[in-house]
Amino acid sequence: MKSFRFRLTVIMLIVIGVSVLAAGITMGQIFKNSNMKVLEENMGREIDLLRATFPFVNTDPLSSTDYISYYSEKAKEIARLTQSRVTFIRKDGTVVGDSLSDPRKMENHASREEIQQASTEGIGRTIRYSETLKRNMLYVAEPVVSDKGFDGYIRLSMNLKTVEEGIQRGWMAIGIGLVLLFLAAGLVSYRIARGLTSPIEHITGVANRISGLDYDARVGVQRRDEVGQLGEAINRMADSLQNQMKTIRDNEDLLQSVMSNMTGGILMIDAEERIALVNRESERMLGVAGKRVTDKPYHELKKHYELTKLIEGSIQSREKLHGEVHLYNPEERLVLLDGVPMYEDDGGYRGMLFLLQDITAIRRLESMRSEFVANVSHELKTPIAAVKGFAETLLGGGVKDEETSRSFLQIIYDESERLNRLIGDILELSQIESKRSSLDCSPIHVSSFIESLLEKLNNVAAKKRITLHMEIPDELYMEADEDKLQQIFLNLLSNGINYTLDGGKVKIKVVTVQRDHDTERVVFTVSDTGIGIPKKDLPRIFERFYRVDKGRSRNSGGTGLGLSIVKHLVDLHHGTLSVESELGIGTTFTIELPLLQQEE
Ligand code: ATP
Ligand code: MG
């Protein structure tokens, strides 16, 4: 656009320059011609005057020299008055008088242009370089015939120096004027060019900004002409672009947020077998950063060997896929993989779309459920078998001995008692798990509460010569569901007694701690000097029916439900539970509960 303005200015300048120059030349020429004309006319009039008034004398005979000095003398007089050179010439061309030179030394003038012209036209004029005077001279000659015996020509000549100087000055003035005119014209034409091009430049600038994604750019030209219409058209275009961009962005945002908030993983492989899209869930499952793998070949995912193989198969066949894969990232995940080929509206193949669903938790729950059913039936079968067996024996009447039948009945009683407890525990657990039980909180004086618990356990402990200790601040009160709290510590303490060899120690210690945000919490530690729990079993002891040593635990009457009930009850109280243990040295359970329960 700059160059357009530049070209426009240059063209205007050239046009103006040429016309100014032509005008100058014409003016100069006219000036010069009219000047010369005036000069010639003046000189002609002077000759006419001389012709009428000059006192001519006879120039014959040729030999006489008197008239030469007469004419020369007169020529000098006239020259002084007219400030021009005066020459008297005879018809045959002999010079008889001259105001500047000696006529006797001058050559014949018959062939001079002005003389020839004068003889034919009555007046002769010419501009010539004079050898005598060494400069440009204007010669004007006229024939003169006098009755006093002169027949020849009077010639006036004038030095053109002054005339030329005048003309030169004229030229100079014209030149300066022209230059000034040219400059002024240049300025004006630049302004005109700018006036024409600057709105276009502005519009171009706006269009460039719009194409550079600046959709807020608008043309500010307020004109009713074509340029103004162009500006308005650009503005309308920008408006509609802006609207369209907004719609596209909104759609994109919507799609983006749907994708990133989806609970399923999405993975798209395009027709060139490159990863076209990975959503947040897929990133999490596959352990990759979307930014890094997008546009890369899908082999980037080769660390998930099983997955890559399945993807490869379905890409090659371009057929639907439904399967399960294990992902290790690093923990194991079971993922349901669904793949569908994607086609464009015109039927062109676009790639494969995969949906990944983490079914690890579902599977674990399913297996836990079936395991639970199996466990329950197994646990129930043992006591029922015992009850049935002993009852059959007694019914068969084979036992006459009063004492034996008594001991059989005792066994039947014990086993049904155990069955009862088992069913109670299972019911309790399922109730807690289904969240049907809620807390019934009241203030509890911790030390007297624990003391009464220990009293209940004294008998059992005494049988194994196990000593029970407690270390609890006297004045400590807390808020909790008393029944449930009792269940928690009965379980922990009886475990401590059960899994500690005769003569050991079980201890419960309570302290309060200040956690962040002024929340006070009560920390219970139940420790024993018992047999301990192997490291590999520690993470599992809170599972239902999990027992470290099934045989021994059953002998001691355990079902493996105690700790899972404890875990649920602690959760219900918004507390935390942890365990540390060393084989043969002892086990410590730590429970942290809030001092006050939050209202729900
Ligand atoms: P119950 O349902 O009658 O309590 P249980 O005691 O076998 O049966 P849990 O209380 O859940 O079941 O305990 C799970 C297992 O954890 C036990 O079988 C035992 O192997 C182990 N365990 C629990 N507490 C201790 C402890 N203090 N010392 C050593 N092992 C323990
Ligand atoms: Mg127990």
Side-chain angles (χ1 to χ4, degrees), residues 415-443:
E415 286 300 316
S416 46
E417 184 59 27
R418 176 173 152 82
L419 207 55
N420 194 31
R421 231 185 37 234
L422 190 60
I423 290 169
D425 277 355
I426 292 170
L427 277 180
E428 166 102 30
L429 193 63
S430 80
Q431 215 168 48
I432 300 170
E433 277 191 344
S434 64
K435 297 257 152 65
R436 256 177 289 149
S437 69
S438 59
L439 291 182
D440 179 12
C441 290
S442 58

Side-chain angles (χ1 to χ4, degrees), residues 540-551:
R540 299 198 60 188
I541 55 169
F542 299 108
E543 287 175 20
R544 290 170 300 199
F545 298 115
Y546 193 83
R547 293 176 301 229
V548 173
D549 179 346
K550 315 237 174 214

Side-chain angles (χ1 to χ4, degrees), residues 85-89 95 97-99 106 153-157:
R85 180 182 173 192
V86 181
T87 315
F88 293 95
I89 302 157
V95 178
D98 188 76
S99 58
M106 290 169 71
Y153 305 92
I154 295 179
R155 186 185 76 171
L156 294 188
S157 55

Side-chain angles (χ1 to χ4, degrees), residues 491 495 499 562:
N491 265 305
N495 274 355
Y499 305 110

Side-chain angles (χ1 to χ4, degrees), residues 450-458 468-470 493 508:
I450 297 287
E451 215 175 307
S452 71
L453 267 186
L454 292 185
E455 261 163 37
K456 281 186 201 166
L457 292 166
N458 251 338
L468 303 176
H469 301 267
M470 60 176 250
L493 289 167
I508 178 163

Side-chain angles (χ1 to χ4, degrees), residues 251-261:
N251 282 343
E252 208 179 70
D253 282 356
L254 186 73
L255 214 64
Q256 197 62 48
S257 75
V258 168
M259 295 249 271
S260 25
N261 293 304

Side-chain angles (χ1 to χ4, degrees), residues 46 50 53-55 68-88 97-100 156:
E46 279 164 9
L50 281 177
T53 58
F54 190 76
I68 289 184
S69 49
Y70 173 77
Y71 276 108
S72 290
E73 209 50 49
K74 285 290 178 199
K76 279 178 191 147
E77 264 173 46
I78 300 164
R80 262 199 303 280
L81 294 169
T82 58
Q83 288 180 345
S84 48
R85 180 182 173 192
V86 181
T87 315
F88 293 95
D98 188 76
S99 58
L100 280 179
L156 294 188

